[in-house]
Amino acid sequence: MRWIKTAVIVLGLTAILAGCGTTTATLDGPTRISASTEYHHGEVRRVPSATGCVALTFDDGPHPIFTPLLLDILAEEDAVATFFLVGDRVQRWPEITAAIAAGGNEIGNHSWNHAAFTSLGADDIATQLSSTDAAIAAATGREPSIVRLPYDAWSARVLALIERPVIFWDVDTLDWRYHSPTRIASVVAAGARSGSIVLMHDIHSTTISAVRPAIQALKAEGYELVTVSRLLSGQPCN
Ligand code: NI
């Protein structure tokens, strides 16, 4: 499965954030910083105050084969991650969704059917989010508190409609394009800093193969693997 990436938008946002050097930034008002509250109109790429912490994130699951394999690796490595799940896949594989949560991992909302929110009206965006919340809650007993937008498709209008932290990333493994475990693990090891958010997808076998070496490289550098909400707390890991 190939996701179309909006490279121009990524570069544009990178340019915006490069100038402010903060955890969050607004597109339509003054920059706001908050560890755990008031993320309206805000997006998160990295939480520098969470020194020694790194958050691995996996999008587009659950996958019936690869997600359980990944959960085993995380447990063996004594690590947790954050999974941005697609609602119609949660509905199809609720038991895998429950296993993600049972492992101490975080679950985030990645829309109902991987829709590009920039093409949707406010009502449709609300439905995408609420139906996915409901499916995740039915499987785990808990609604997600964070959102990631499919295709990196964002706008000021879309962000303003989402009353939750919208989680981007500062380390993009491009694992959907380059199916090389060695390359993926190298990008993680070379790119991760304190408070980094690493983007991967647990729908590719090559990504799963990269996770253990990536985690071991990060641990060797002294990093602790934590969930995104743990990062957002702003508390250091060391
Ligand atoms: Ni996605």
Side-chain angles (χ1 to χ4, degrees):
M1 207 178 307
R2 301 178 61 145
W3 305 121
I4 300 167
K5 292 289 175 177
T6 51
V8 172
I9 291 176
V10 172
L11 291 172
L13 182 59
T14 301
I16 291 168
L17 293 180
C20 62
T22 54
T23 301
T24 62
T26 58
L27 299 172
D28 56 352
T31 300
R32 24 205 230 118
I33 303 298
S34 171
S36 59
T37 60
E38 292 196 43
Y39 271 97
H40 311 293
H41 310 192
E43 62 278 349
V44 181
R45 291 198 157 248
R46 180 175 165 244
V47 186
S49 62
T51 58
C53 312
V54 170
L56 301 181
T57 67
F58 296 92
D59 289 10
D60 300 350
H63 185 284
I65 305 295
F66 299 138
T67 303
L69 290 174
L70 173 56
L71 292 176
D72 287 346
I73 292 168
L74 291 171
E76 289 163 12
E77 295 295 330
D78 195 24
V80 292
T82 299
F83 293 74
F84 289 96
L85 303 183
V86 179
D88 64 2
R89 301 177 70 93
V90 170
Q91 186 178 56
R92 186 167 174 186
W93 291 293
E95 67 292 338
I96 299 175
T97 303
I100 293 171
N105 304 288
E106 182 168 17
I107 293 175
N109 189 323
H110 196 44
S111 84
W112 179 257
N113 58 2
H114 212 267
F117 281 13
T118 45
S119 300
L120 300 180
D123 288 350
D124 285 340
I125 289 173
T127 301
Q128 285 274 339
L129 293 174
S130 64
S131 57
T132 302
D133 285 342
I136 291 170
T140 69
R142 185 174 177 183
E143 288 192 353
S145 62
I146 53 177
V147 171
R148 177 170 280 159
L149 302 172
Y151 306 108
D152 199 21
W154 66 273
S155 67
R157 179 186 70 90
V158 168
L159 293 177
L161 290 169
I162 302 175
E163 304 273 314
R164 277 180 271 188
V166 179
I167 309 301
F168 291 77
W169 53 86
D170 69 315
V171 179
D172 189 349
T173 61
L174 296 175
D175 60 337
W176 55 275
R177 179 188 293 163
Y178 302 109
H179 294 274
S180 159
T182 304
R183 185 189 186 284
I184 294 166
S186 298
V187 169
V188 176
R193 299 177 290 164
S194 281
S196 277
I197 299 171
V198 180
L199 173 62
M200 292 186 276
H201 301 78
D202 56 326
I203 56 172
H204 307 294
S205 64
T206 40
T207 298
I208 307 307
S209 298
V211 170
R212 195 188 306 274
I215 290 174
Q216 291 179 346
L218 292 172
K219 283 182 174 177
E221 292 182 41
Y223 291 112
E224 181 180 342
L225 284 302
V226 301
T227 64
V228 166
S229 283
R230 171 67 176 77
L231 269 195
L232 294 177
S233 77
Q235 297 303 306
C237 285
N238 57 24

